Amino acid sequence: MKIVMLGAPGAGKGTQAKKIAEKYGIPHISTGDIFRANIKGGTELGKKAKAYMDEGKLVPDDVTIGMLLDRISEADCAGGYVLDGFPRTIPQAESLTEALRKRGEKLDYAIDVNVPDASIVTRMAGRRACLACGATYHIVYNAPKTEGVCDSCGEKLVLRDDDKPETVQKRLTVYHDQTQPLFQYYEQAGILKTVDGTQDLNQVFSDIVAILGA
Ligand code: ADP
Ligand code: AMP
């Protein structure tokens, strides 16, 4: 099963993608996590990406597309995957479609986790991230067992630099300008499914399972 998660920054794509990955036994691939791991590791890719990320901008397509296509060529992706944060532009979506077409494959679902902008800033202000393992929490809606500590790996949780309100606003503008055209793209492909992302996160997941099949 090959799935892409769509939705505004902070809509809950990562939260749901992790649950999908676990239930269906497929890898969860987040381009944001890959960039953050590179920043942490001090790689050239990380240095390049950081400048864009800190400003709430998208990392250029020429960097992002190759990185993602390499990742989905790895052996663990043979049985499918759930992509979180990719594609974010029409050229990214077209490159993915084309790369899959060459292998005689296609995406099965594009799932839109729909949350209005008004709820996004609150969500992001409360998000806490583990930069070691990629786990995500919310101080109110999905709190870790011990405040400030990752349940999965015990590392310290942080407020991401790009989750500060002024950067979130910029990211939302970028989202509406560059990412929203993907809805029409996947609608035309006949694979777009929308779920109400303002519900409790377990209810959002039930709605997704109803689409994907138990
Ligand atoms: P995205 O991957 O779309 O940027 P996340 O999955 O990281 O978003 O979610 C953003 C924040 O909102 C996190 O702090 C997460 O714990 C919280 N969250 C996710 N889904 C819900 C939900 N249905 N209700 C309330 N908070 C949620
Ligand atoms: P995320 O973790 O998905 O919220 O992504 C964090 C940041 O990483 C984004 O604001 C972008 O700067 C960058 N990024 C992640 N995925 C992409 C992508 N597909 N295209 C361009 N930039 C991306």
Side-chain angles (χ1 to χ4, degrees):
M1 190 147 52
K2 298 184 190 67
I3 304 165
V4 303
M5 303 300 290
L6 299 177
K13 300 180 298 296
T15 302
Q16 298 301 328
K18 287 188 186 76
K19 291 166 87 67
I20 293 170
E22 195 180 328
K23 179 170 172 68
Y24 297 94
I26 51 178
H28 162 217
I29 299 174
S30 155
T31 38
D33 283 353
I34 300 175
F35 287 134
R36 281 184 289 276
N38 275 277
I39 292 172
K40 201 162 180 248
T43 69
E44 279 308 311
L45 175 68
K47 281 180 201 145
K48 200 164 182 183
K50 188 175 184 336
Y52 295 96
M53 292 168 75
D54 283 351
E55 284 195 39
K57 293 181 182 164
L58 295 184
V59 180
D61 284 344
D62 61 347
V63 176
T64 309
I65 292 172
M67 178 183 90
L68 185 279
L69 295 183
D70 284 349
R71 176 65 188 90
I72 62 171
S73 302
E74 288 176 28
D76 65 330
C77 291
Y81 38 78
V82 51
L83 303 185
D84 159 20
F86 186 100
R88 264 180 155 104
T89 64
I90 289 285
Q92 290 182 13
E94 287 173 341
S95 302
L96 178 60
T97 303
E98 182 55 17
L100 291 175
R101 193 192 59 76
K102 282 187 184 150
R103 301 182 207 168
E105 299 173 358
K106 60 183 180 51
L107 290 172
D108 298 297
Y109 298 100
I111 299 177
D112 165 28
V113 183
N114 190 268
V115 175
D117 285 9
S119 312
I120 292 290
V121 179
T122 331
R123 284 239 186 139
M124 304 290 250
R127 171 155 68 180
R128 293 295 178 272
C130 175
L131 298 182
C133 76
T136 317
Y137 303 87
H138 190 281
I139 52 175
V140 178
Y141 307 122
N142 185 21
K145 291 191 181 80
T146 309
E147 195 186 321
V149 179
C150 180
D151 290 350
S152 309
C153 73
E155 283 286 320
K156 201 166 149 261
L157 299 177
V158 297
L159 172 67
R160 276 167 44 181
D161 286 341
D162 60 347
D163 281 352
K164 302 197 168 123
E166 56 281 15
T167 315
V168 170
Q169 211 52 61
K170 276 195 219 151
R171 293 169 68 197
L172 280 172
T173 306
V174 167
Y175 170 72
H176 290 300
D177 289 350
Q178 300 195 52
T179 307
Q180 240 168 357
L182 296 182
F183 290 100
Q184 203 189 345
Y185 181 86
Y186 287 121
E187 176 83 73
Q188 278 171 1
I191 60 166
L192 181 68
K193 307 281 176 190
T194 301
V195 294
D196 175 2
T198 63
Q199 308 173 94
D200 171 85
L201 56 91
N202 292 314
Q203 185 56 49
V204 179
F205 187 58
S206 298
D207 290 359
I208 292 175
V209 171
I211 292 165
L212 303 181

